[in-house]
Amino acid sequence: MTFYPTDRLALFIDGANFYSASKALGFDIDYKKLLTEFSRRGVLIRAYYYTAIAENDDYSPIRPLVDWLDYNGFTMVTKSAKEYTDAQGRKRWRGSMDVELTVDMLTMADHADHLVLLSGNGDFRALIEAVQRKGKRVTVVSTMKSQPPMASDDLRRQADTFVELADLADMVGRPQRSPLPRFVSEGRTPAERDADDEY
């Protein structure tokens, strides 16, 4: 990654897209490590995280993450997700944050030297071009190593730098937890595990 120590940095995390990219690569993002990593690369002035939340539910699985990020240095931009029923009759949620991210990035381009977009969404190509016309550098973080690739080719070409998320896994990731006990996921019985522990 090409960053200068005096760069004023701003991060823009497309929550749903970035989450899908890390899951496709088999790891979870450690957002504390992410913030630390980019703070080392320049003067981090803002880290935005965008997500839609299903407000009607008694419990939203993303709420603990949103609360943690809000208390730990991220600027949270949220809105209520809209419920709809798909063609198979399943309940689904829709909540694009593209407009909010676009407005914030264009606004922050007046205050930052280097803007980092953590998303592979090709709809942001024109946004990156507009920010570059203001004389700013833009780095895109996403992945081409997932199946299918999560990063739009147009977005990669438009960015000043493309960073492969898989290459950052050791710096900003933590392994996904197995829902099964370790001895089951390792294929060993408790007796086999205990026998191994004796040696």
Side-chain angles (χ1 to χ4, degrees), residues 52-98:
I53 299 174
E55 298 290 353
N56 298 353
D57 286 353
D58 292 335
Y59 173 76
S60 172
I62 197 166
R63 177 56 71 187
L65 173 64
V66 168
D67 290 342
W68 187 91
L69 293 171
D70 203 19
Y71 283 107
N72 287 279
F74 289 83
T75 300
M76 298 306 302
V77 182
T78 63
K79 72 178 180 185
S80 296
K82 305 285 188 241
E83 184 181 349
Y84 72 99
T85 304
D86 68 10
Q88 287 77 34
R90 294 177 297 212
K91 183 169 78 167
R92 300 282 189 194
W93 298 94
R94 178 182 299 134
S96 173
M97 300 295 294
D98 293 3

Side-chain angles (χ1 to χ4, degrees), residues 3-195:
F3 290 88
Y4 302 108
T6 56
D7 275 350
R8 291 170 299 164
L9 304 178
L11 306 183
F12 300 85
I13 304 168
D14 177 354
N17 189 284
F18 195 55
Y19 172 83
S20 296
S22 69
K23 286 294 184 193
L25 293 172
F27 70 93
D28 292 323
I29 299 295
D30 183 326
Y31 286 97
K32 187 173 186 178
K33 286 182 182 177
L34 181 78
L35 213 55
T36 300
E37 187 61 37
F38 281 98
S39 294
R40 274 193 241 143
R41 302 200 179 264
V43 181
L44 184 61
I45 56 175
R46 189 77 65 217
Y48 292 95
Y49 187 95
Y50 300 84
T51 190
I53 299 174
E55 298 290 353
N56 298 353
D57 286 353
D58 292 335
Y59 173 76
S60 172
I62 197 166
R63 177 56 71 187
L65 173 64
V66 168
D67 290 342
W68 187 91
L69 293 171
D70 203 19
Y71 283 107
N72 287 279
F74 289 83
T75 300
M76 298 306 302
V77 182
T78 63
K79 72 178 180 185
S80 296
K82 305 285 188 241
E83 184 181 349
Y84 72 99
T85 304
D86 68 10
Q88 287 77 34
R90 294 177 297 212
K91 183 169 78 167
R92 300 282 189 194
W93 298 94
R94 178 182 299 134
S96 173
M97 300 295 294
D98 293 3
V99 172
E100 290 83 356
L101 191 151
T102 299
V103 169
D104 289 342
M105 188 179 252
L106 285 170
T107 302
M108 284 303 292
D110 295 332
H111 308 285
D113 304 307
H114 194 152
L115 297 98
V116 181
L117 175 63
L118 294 97
S119 176
N121 185 342
D123 291 343
F124 292 127
R125 191 211 58 78
L127 167 62
I128 291 175
E129 184 181 21
V131 169
Q132 289 168 330
R133 281 196 305 264
K134 291 176 172 268
K136 308 303 177 170
R137 290 190 321 282
V138 180
T139 292
V140 168
V141 179
S142 189
T143 185
M144 293 298 293
K145 295 186 177 178
S146 62
Q147 290 301 322
M150 296 292 294
S152 155
D153 191 53
D154 290 340
L155 190 71
R156 288 175 54 223
R157 290 173 189 268
Q158 187 66 51
D160 294 296
T161 307
F162 175 77
V163 176
E164 172 57 54
L165 180 58
D167 297 341
L168 297 180
D170 291 339
M171 290 182 259
V172 302
R174 61 176 180 250
Q176 289 181 340
R177 291 188 207 139
S178 172
L180 302 171
R182 193 171 65 196
F183 73 87
V184 174
S185 62
E186 292 173 355
R188 299 185 302 162
T189 67
E192 291 169 332
R193 188 190 67 229
D194 292 342

